[in-house]
């Protein structure tokens, strides 16, 4: 029996969902409710790529070898340290007659589900990848389940640019929802205070999109927090934040001070988009009582976040960005098209890679 969530592809351990499985069956033969994608490019999760690069001292050959080893051993791309994967683009080779995804052979698509639950085989040894960038040109195939999500790539954008945006499209969508809810609640309650938003890692992919989404959703004041002067200058030039602050997100007091100084008050909504661990306590400290912290980084320790908030007696709501909000792909691509600052940051990042 073929499961819509891919249980039939789990090799070990039995009884878990594909994301939690150690190994998946990546057999290219599809069931009636599956789709097979010919893979063109992977986009590794930022936290996963950083961990691999740091582990191997920036040696691209060793990074490439470990990615190949992971996919070969596990039948999917799931970093065993960070637990994260990424996403991919490719072309539909075959769609089962009972697949509900609406995809047809020849469609060029981006998967909007994680590589951690996507059966994957690489057939070219990653020969075209130097191991030094998050985007990985490759040849191979992947399997989508009935409950998977994929978006047909827009014809007006370069595929690599679309991939970079769609990789993080859940972040701006959830940010927009949270900010809009805060704005609406204050309006209902007759509270005249404007809603302020801090985005930690504001010059990155998810961070820049989240800043644009927060402003569009009604945030009256925004601050983008970055760790180095080069990112400060780039984000300032992009014009996506009212204030750009320099701070190490792993320094709780320093981060909180930077946000409060920039806004004049703690943030009503704090969005964490950095790909390093140890940023939980600073995000909590930077957020006003009654506010919300949204964690998008796969480097987040949710135990540290919860226990830290308890220990600080912080009355904040903490949300895990799960990567899916209805309409998230359309929103992210629209922000890219409408906001020159966002597009400039993405194109600069791709050029650097």
């Amino acid at each position: 029996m073929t499961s819509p969530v891919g249980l039939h592809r789990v090799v070990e351990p039995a009884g878990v969902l594909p994301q939690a499985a150690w190994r998946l069956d990546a057999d290219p033969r599809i069931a009636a409710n599956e789709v097979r994608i010919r893979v063109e490019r992977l986009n590794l999760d930022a936290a996963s790529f950083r961990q691999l690069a740091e582990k191997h001292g920036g040696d691209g050959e060793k990074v490439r070898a470990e990615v190949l080893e992971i996919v070969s051993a596990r039948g999917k791309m799931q970093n065993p340290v960070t637990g994260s994967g990424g996403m991919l683009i490719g072309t539909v080779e075959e769609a089962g007659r009972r697949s509900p995804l609406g995809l047809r052979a020849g469609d060029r698509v981006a998967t909007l589900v994680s590589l951690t639950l996507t059966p994957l085989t690489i057939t070219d040894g990653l020969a075209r990848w130097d191991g030094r960038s998050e985007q990985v040109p490759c040849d191979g195939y992947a399997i989508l389940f009935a409950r998977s999500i994929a978006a047909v790539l827009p014809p007006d954008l370069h595929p690599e640019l679309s991939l970079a945006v769609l990789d993080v499209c859940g972040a701006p969508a959830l940010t927009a929802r949270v900010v809009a809810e805060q704005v609406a609640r204050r309006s209902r309650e007759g509270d005249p205070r404007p809603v302020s938003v801090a985005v930690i890692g504001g010059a990155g992919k998810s961070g820049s999109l989240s800043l644009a989404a927060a402003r569009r959703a009604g945030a009256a004041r925004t601050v983008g927090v970055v760790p180095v002067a080069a990112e400060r200058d780039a984000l300032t030039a992009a014009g996506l934040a009212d204030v750009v602050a320099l701070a190490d997100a792993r320094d709780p007091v320093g981060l909180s001070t930077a946000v409060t100084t920039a806004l004049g008050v703690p943030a009503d909504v704090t969005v964490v988009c950095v790909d390093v661990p140890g940023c939980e306590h600073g995000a909590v400290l930077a957020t006003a009582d009654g506010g919300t912290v949204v964690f998008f980084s796969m480097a987040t320790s949710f135990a540290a976040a919860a226990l830290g908030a308890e220990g600080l007696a912080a009355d904040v709501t903490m949300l895990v960005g799960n990567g899916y909000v209805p309409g998230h792909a359309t929103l992210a691509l629209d922000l890219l098209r409408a906001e020159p600052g966002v597009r400039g940051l993405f194109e600069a990042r791709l050029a650097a890679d």
Side-chain angles (χ1 to χ4, degrees), residues 54-76:
E54 290 180 350
K55 173 183 177 180
H56 296 295
D59 187 325
E61 290 296 322
K62 291 181 179 179
V63 172
R64 181 173 64 181
E66 182 160 356
V67 170
L68 284 169
E69 181 182 348
I70 291 170
V71 175
S72 176
R74 306 196 65 176
K76 59 177 179 175

Side-chain angles (χ1 to χ4, degrees), residues 174-175 178 182 196-200 255 266-273 279-297 300 302 305-306 309 312 314-321:
L174 184 54
T175 298
V178 171
Q182 287 261 15
S196 60
V197 177
V199 177
I200 317 304
L255 177 61
D268 297 304
V269 178
T270 300
V271 185
V272 182
C273 295
C279 304
E280 301 84 6
H281 295 172
V284 171
L285 271 179
T287 307
D289 282 346
T292 300
V293 185
V294 186
F295 291 105
F296 282 108
S297 171
T300 301
F302 300 106
L312 294 167
D315 178 21
V316 295
T317 298
M318 293 185 291
L319 300 178
V320 178

Side-chain angles (χ1 to χ4, degrees), residues 51-313:
Q51 185 274 326
L52 291 168
E54 290 180 350
K55 173 183 177 180
H56 296 295
D59 187 325
E61 290 296 322
K62 291 181 179 179
V63 172
R64 181 173 64 181
E66 182 160 356
V67 170
L68 284 169
E69 181 182 348
I70 291 170
V71 175
S72 176
R74 306 196 65 176
K76 59 177 179 175
M77 178 54 209
Q78 184 173 28
N79 185 316
V81 176
T82 65
S84 55
M87 59 175 295
L88 61 85
I89 59 173
T91 301
V92 175
E93 279 193 332
E94 183 180 2
R97 66 184 186 280
R98 288 174 28 216
S99 170
L101 302 186
L103 300 176
R104 298 175 298 177
D107 284 344
R108 204 169 185 200
V109 301
T111 60
L112 302 180
V113 291
S114 174
L115 293 176
T116 63
L117 55 83
T118 304
L120 174 68
T121 296
I122 292 172
T123 58
D124 68 346
L126 300 181
R128 292 173 290 144
W129 183 47
D130 63 5
R132 298 179 184 276
S133 65
E134 295 172 8
Q135 291 211 6
V136 183
C138 70
D139 192 24
Y141 59 83
I143 307 297
L144 300 183
F145 311 131
R147 287 285 296 272
S148 298
I149 315 167
V152 177
L153 292 173
D156 63 316
L157 298 176
H158 193 283
E160 292 182 27
L161 183 57
S162 295
L163 178 60
V165 173
L166 294 173
D167 179 46
V168 295
C169 65
L174 184 54
T175 298
R177 174 189 286 179
V178 171
V179 171
E181 289 172 350
Q182 287 261 15
V183 171
R185 185 178 69 196
R186 289 192 176 176
S187 177
R188 288 194 305 269
E189 296 173 353
D191 186 341
R193 292 176 300 156
V195 172
S196 60
V197 177
V199 177
I200 317 304
K205 294 189 298 182
S206 58
S208 58
L209 283 166
S210 294
L211 280 167
R215 183 176 284 174
R216 180 180 288 192
R221 191 158 176 79
T222 59
V223 56
V225 182
V226 295
V228 295
E231 290 191 11
R232 178 195 59 198
D233 296 343
L235 186 55
T236 300
L240 298 174
D242 295 304
V243 185
V244 179
L246 269 177
D248 185 339
R250 297 165 295 186
D251 174 1
V253 174
L255 177 61
S256 174
T257 300
V259 169
T260 304
T261 300
L263 295 174
V265 292
D268 297 304
V269 178
T270 300
V271 185
V272 182
C273 295
V274 293
D275 58 2
V276 294
C279 304
E280 301 84 6
H281 295 172
V284 171
L285 271 179
T287 307
D289 282 346
T292 300
V293 185
V294 186
F295 291 105
F296 282 108
S297 171
M298 291 296 101
T300 301
S301 165
F302 300 106
L307 294 173
E310 177 187 53
L312 294 167

